[in-house]
């Protein structure tokens, strides 16, 4: 008899009233009311007889008894399965399969991971599936508890060996914009950090850009990306790498070097002669101004007046000056030549000084 079934039992022999596990009440000469409990997989032998001997039923009379089973819940077993290992951010599924000799169990299963209960999961065709992709790095015991119901007994199971979560491997790449660039030009370094399959997580933490082996300040990742802007890339071929520091769920990684050419900053030099014109014996000043498009040049300027070169003068905020040397009446040629450092191109200019 299956749990909850209604049995229609037909009697063809009337014997002394007996029933296994049940009691006959309210007997008449035509029917019996029976209350009892029958196991979900057990069978019942019922025999009944009329208790009034003077109105006994003959064997040709038939008595039908309706019996509703109120069985004890059928025993259930629960098997837990799932991967033994994953990496941080990897989607994993744990399954609990419930089986019973009384049929296919229904109801809810509660998983516990590392002692933390998860939300109940309903059985579908006897199987409950729990999906997770956010387990922190560590080792976990995985258990499942079937709550049972009126028809099926509760059961529990454990994932053999538990489940371990390892750091997710990462890859880091670095790019520069614009490229190529000139000294003093604003350049943005961008690092992209990605978790490798099977992880689908987005790395967090910081990245350190290294320019010619000189580490720059750490930059926090935003959605897996870190940027650093600089105007200090020296002229020449620069080597740039990005170093990801890792996190609680992600392994550290370092990009391959990115080699970029930085050209010297172009300059222009202008002359200022004051006063011009001047009178014989009047004091004056010669000033050179050296400019670049995005940065102030450094270096020295050599002034030449009528072919005579004077000692180099260092630029201060892009300017260099000397006193006008004594000049005779007439027109005099003045030349300013900028001698750059390696980050700038040289330039020069000339002007005429009129002395009256």
């Amino acid at each position: 008899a299956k749990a909850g079934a209604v049995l229609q039992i037909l009697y063809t022999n009337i014997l002394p009233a007996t029933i296994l596990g049940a009691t006959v009440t309210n007997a008449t000469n035509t029917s019996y009311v029976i209350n009892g409990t029958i196991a979900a997989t057990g069978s019942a032998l019922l025999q009944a007889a009329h208790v009034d001997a003077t109105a006994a039923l003959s064997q040709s009379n038939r008595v039908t008894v309706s019996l509703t089973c109120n069985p004890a819940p059928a025993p259930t077993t629960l098997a837990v399965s799932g991967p033994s290992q994953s990496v941080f951010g990897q989607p994993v599924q744990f399954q609990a399969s419930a089986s019973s000799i009384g049929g296919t169990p229904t109801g809810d299963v509660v998983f516990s991971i590392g002692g933390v209960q998860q939300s109940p999961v309903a059985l579908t065709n006897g199987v409950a599936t729990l999906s997770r992709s956010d387990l922190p790095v560590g080792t976990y015991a995985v258990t499942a508890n079937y709550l049972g119901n009126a028809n099926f007994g509760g059961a529990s199971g454990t994932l053999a060996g538990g489940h371990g979560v390892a750091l997710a491997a990462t890859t880091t790449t670095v790019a520069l914009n614009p490229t190529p660039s000139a000294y003093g030009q604003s350049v943005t370094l961008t690092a992209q950090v990605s978790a490798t399959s099977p992880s689908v997580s987005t790395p967090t933490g910081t990245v350190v850009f290294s320019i010619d082996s000189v580490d720059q300040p750490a930059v926090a990742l935003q959605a897996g990306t870190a940027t650093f802007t600089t105007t200090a890339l020296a002229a020449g071929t620069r080597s740039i790498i990005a170093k990801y520091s890792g996190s609680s769920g992600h392994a550290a990684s370092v990009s391959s070097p990115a080699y970029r050419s930085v050209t010297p900053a172009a300059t222009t030099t202008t002359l200022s002669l004051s006063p011009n014109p001047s009178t014989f014996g009047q004091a004056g000043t010669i000033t050179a101004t050296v400019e670049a498009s995005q940065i102030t040049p450094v270096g020295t300027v050599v002034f030449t007046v009528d072919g005579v070169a004077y000692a180099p003068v260092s630029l201060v905020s892009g300017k260099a000056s000397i006193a006008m040397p004594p000049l005779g009446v007439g027109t005099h040629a003045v030349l300013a030549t900028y001698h750059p450092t390696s980050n700038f191109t040289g330039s020069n200019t000339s002007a005429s000084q009129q002395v009256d």
Side-chain angles (χ1 to χ4, degrees):
K2 192 173 181 180
V6 175
L7 304 183
Q8 296 290 329
I9 303 174
L10 179 64
Y11 294 97
T12 58
N13 294 294
I14 307 302
L15 300 173
T18 61
I19 179 169
L20 297 181
T23 301
V24 180
T25 61
N26 301 328
T28 71
N29 63 350
T30 59
S31 64
Y32 297 85
V33 177
I34 301 175
N35 296 302
T37 300
I38 298 175
T41 59
S43 60
L45 171 62
L46 290 89
Q47 295 177 316
H50 181 47
V51 296
D52 185 350
T54 64
L57 296 171
S58 69
Q59 291 189 4
S60 62
N61 293 327
R62 295 184 177 184
V63 178
T64 299
V65 177
S66 294
L67 175 64
T68 300
C69 293
N70 295 305
T76 305
T77 58
L78 195 66
V80 181
S81 61
S84 61
Q85 188 73 29
S86 68
V87 298
F88 179 77
Q90 177 183 354
V92 293
Q93 289 186 334
F94 302 102
Q95 290 188 326
S97 300
S99 58
S100 173
I101 55 178
T104 302
T106 59
D108 291 338
V109 171
V110 175
F111 290 86
S112 291
I113 301 177
V116 179
Q117 285 192 351
Q118 311 297 299
S119 298
V121 181
L123 286 167
T124 301
N125 297 323
V127 178
T129 301
L130 175 70
S131 298
R132 291 290 301 269
S133 61
D134 57 350
L135 291 176
V137 172
T139 301
Y140 300 90
V142 180
T143 61
N145 181 36
Y146 170 54
L147 304 180
N149 52 38
N151 296 322
F152 299 98
S156 61
T158 300
L159 178 64
H163 181 80
V165 181
L167 290 171
T170 63
T171 57
T172 299
T173 59
V174 65
L176 289 77
N177 186 50
T179 182
S181 61
Y183 176 71
Q185 185 175 359
S186 179
V187 177
T188 298
L189 315 181
T190 301
Q192 185 70 48
V193 184
S194 303
T196 59
S197 181
S199 177
V200 295
S201 60
T202 300
T204 58
T206 60
V207 168
V208 170
F209 293 92
S210 182
I211 302 173
D212 295 333
S213 299
V214 178
D215 288 349
Q216 309 302 306
V219 181
L221 283 170
Q222 300 290 337
T225 300
T227 59
F228 177 76
T229 300
T230 180
T231 58
L233 292 183
T237 300
R238 307 274 69 86
S239 173
I240 299 166
I241 62 173
K243 300 183 287 187
Y244 170 53
S245 60
S247 69
S248 60
H250 299 91
S253 59
V254 178
S255 73
S256 298
Y259 297 98
R260 292 296 182 270
S261 176
V262 180
T263 60
T267 65
T268 57
T269 300
T270 57
L271 266 175
S272 173
L273 308 176
S274 180
N276 189 21
S278 62
T279 58
F280 178 75
Q282 184 179 3
T285 302
I286 305 173
T287 300
T289 300
V290 183
E291 296 176 306
S293 62
Q294 299 183 64
I295 195 167
T296 301
V298 294
T300 60
V301 172
V302 172
F303 294 96
T304 302
V305 179
D306 292 336
V308 178
Y310 292 84
V313 180
S314 294
L315 286 172
V316 177
S317 299
K319 294 182 180 295
S321 298
I322 62 171
M324 186 80 69
L327 298 175
V329 173
T331 301
H332 303 272
V334 180
L335 174 67
T337 303
Y338 167 54
H339 293 267
T341 63
S342 60
N343 288 321
F344 299 92
T345 61
S347 58
N348 59 68
T349 189
S350 60
S352 296
Q353 174 68 38
Q354 180 66 39
V355 179
D356 295 329

